[in-house]
């Protein structure tokens, strides 16, 4: 077999400095949000499984909102359709940025994460379908195990104290962005029962006005926020899931920088809205969606019913096999080489981490079994258990590689000349090497001075020593 060409592309290679900075900032917020998400899920489970569980259901089912506008919704409904629109708005901006300035802008570079994400959605769906064909279960939940929750995955990393190299973190983030895109398409296409064309037309007109104002350079939150609320309300009443409005508006923002801009408008707005999404919207959704009854019998039922077993196997087995297999196939057929710093077990470990499918999986579970409250709760329990198993599996696999990851991260972040730029990005900069030479020359001079002041072997003072006992001058 011929030796691989040196010109072959690298899979999971080093990020550019701007991309590395963006990924670090984005994931830092998502990690904090993920910890809050984890806390909210635990609170929901405790609240729903204690003697005061009736209050949990009372609050979740409490209705509020103007009925004349078709918005007299329960708190749980507001969290799923309203607050998650903010989450999907950020997802839309992320997707737009990836398409114009990130990994997805180059078709050759985009092949790998797109194929990996598609396989990471198709295989879990296939696992669910096969499980329910063999078990004579309902096919409605095929889309439940297809989603990855990036915030929850990062929270697991934070809790177990594992730091992934930036290339693996960027891969996970890109997977989640593409994953969100296809999850949005699934929600729009498969979970729209009936359409109110008047409301849908109004939403489209509102989106056109939103786009026109952006193109004209009109500024002011007091214009866009009321308009966004109107668009959301019309989209909700149209029969299309209201979160689609958030995605559409996110995709309309400009995410390419002009010469006089430090950040594009999309990046600026994402920076403002992401903390609201990660720190408030998603945790509140988890609080009012994750509160399912957990008992020995309920857990046992998860592994005996085809619908719930299909969700668990889809998340744990389907996600891992799909993402790992898709990445391997894309690399194999594009002749891309894995970065020399990483190996295929690293890809497998990250693929297992992507089996944590919390937020969007819970949302799709609610939509898939909307008319069956009991089965909806069982599906939610399956999502929680499947995500927990995936988290434990990923923890074991990542801990086995933790020493290597720690060394890679330390190497990536090393900044010996203290200029704020990691040294690995300055190897071709002559000024960096001159600064380092000056630093080492200063250290060498200090060591020479200390050598002259130190006692020589045998107890005699060095050349600069004086006084009794060999004490330095």
């Amino acid at each position: 077999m011929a030796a691989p060409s040196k010109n072959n592309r690298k899979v999971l290679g080093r990020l550019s400095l701007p991309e590395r900075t963006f990924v670090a900032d984005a994931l830092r917020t998502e990690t904090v949000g993920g910890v809050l998400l984890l806390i909210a899920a635990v609170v929901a489970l405790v609240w729903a499984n204690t003697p005061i569980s009736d209050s949990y259901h009372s609050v979740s089912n409490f209705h509020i909102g103007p009925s004349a506008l078709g918005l007299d919704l329960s708190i749980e409904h507001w969290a799923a359709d309203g607050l998650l629109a903010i989450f999907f708005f950020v997802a839309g901006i992320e997707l737009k940025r990836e398409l114009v300035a990130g990994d997805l802008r180059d078709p050759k570079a985009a092949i790998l994460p797109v194929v990996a994400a598609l396989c990471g959605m198709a295989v879990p769906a296939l696992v669910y379908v096969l499980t329910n064909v063999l078990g004579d279960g309902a096919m409605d939940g095929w889309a439940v195990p297809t989603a990855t929750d990036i915030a929850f995955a990062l929270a697991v990393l934070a809790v177990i104290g594992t730091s992934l190299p930036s290339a693996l973190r960027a891969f996970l983030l890109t997977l989640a962005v593409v994953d969100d895109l296809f999850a949005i398409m699934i929600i729009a296409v498969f979970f729209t029962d009936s359409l109110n064309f008047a409301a849908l037309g109004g939403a489209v007109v509102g989106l056109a006005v939103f786009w026109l104002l952006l193109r004209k350079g009109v500024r002011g939150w007091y214009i866009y926020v009321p308009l966004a609320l109107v668009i959301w309300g019309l989209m909700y009443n149209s029969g299309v899931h209201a979160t689609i409005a958030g995605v559409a508006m996110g995709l309309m923002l400009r995410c390419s920088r002009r010469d006089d801009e430090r950040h594009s408008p999309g990046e600026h707005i994402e920076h403002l809205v992401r903390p609201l999404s990660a720190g408030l919207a998603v945790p509140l959704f988890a609080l009012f969606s994750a509160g399912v009854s957990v008992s020995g019998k309920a857990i046992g039922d998860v592994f005996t019913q085809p619908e719930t077993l299909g969700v668990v196997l889809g998340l744990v087995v389907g996600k891992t096999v799909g993402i790992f297999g898709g990445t391997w196939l894309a690399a194999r057929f594009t002749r891309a080489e894995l970065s020399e710093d990483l190996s295929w077990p690293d890809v497998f470990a990250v693929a297992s981490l992507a089996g944590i499918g919390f937020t969007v999986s819970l949302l799709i579970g609610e939509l898939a079994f909307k008319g069956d409250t009991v089965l909806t709760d069982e599906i939610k329990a399956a999502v929680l258990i499947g995500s927990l198993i995936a988290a434990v599996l990923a923890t074991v696999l990542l801990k086995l590689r933790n020493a290597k990851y720690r060394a890679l991260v330390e190497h990536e972040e090393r900044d010996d000349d203290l200029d704020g730029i990691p040294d690995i990005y300055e190897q071709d900069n002559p000024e960096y090497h001159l600064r380092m030479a000056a630093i080492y020359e200063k250290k060498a001079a200090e060591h020479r001075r200390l050598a002259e002041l130190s006692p020589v072997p045998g107890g005699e003072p060095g050349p600069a020593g004086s006084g009794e006992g060999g004490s330095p001058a």
Side-chain angles (χ1 to χ4, degrees), residues 37-50 53 56-57 60 283-294 358 362 384:
L37 174 64
L38 186 59
I39 294 171
V42 171
V43 170
L45 287 170
V46 171
W47 192 359
N49 289 275
T50 57
S53 60
Y56 176 82
H57 298 292
S60 297
L284 281 177
F285 167 75
L287 179 63
F288 293 109
S289 293
V292 295
S293 178
V294 178
F358 189 77
L362 289 176
L384 294 173

Side-chain angles (χ1 to χ4, degrees), residues 206-220 223-224 227:
L207 288 171
V209 172
F210 189 89
W211 179 84
L212 185 62
L213 291 174
L214 288 173
R215 289 299 168 273
K216 294 293 185 181
V218 177
R219 297 186 178 184
I223 296 175
Y224 289 103
L227 179 59

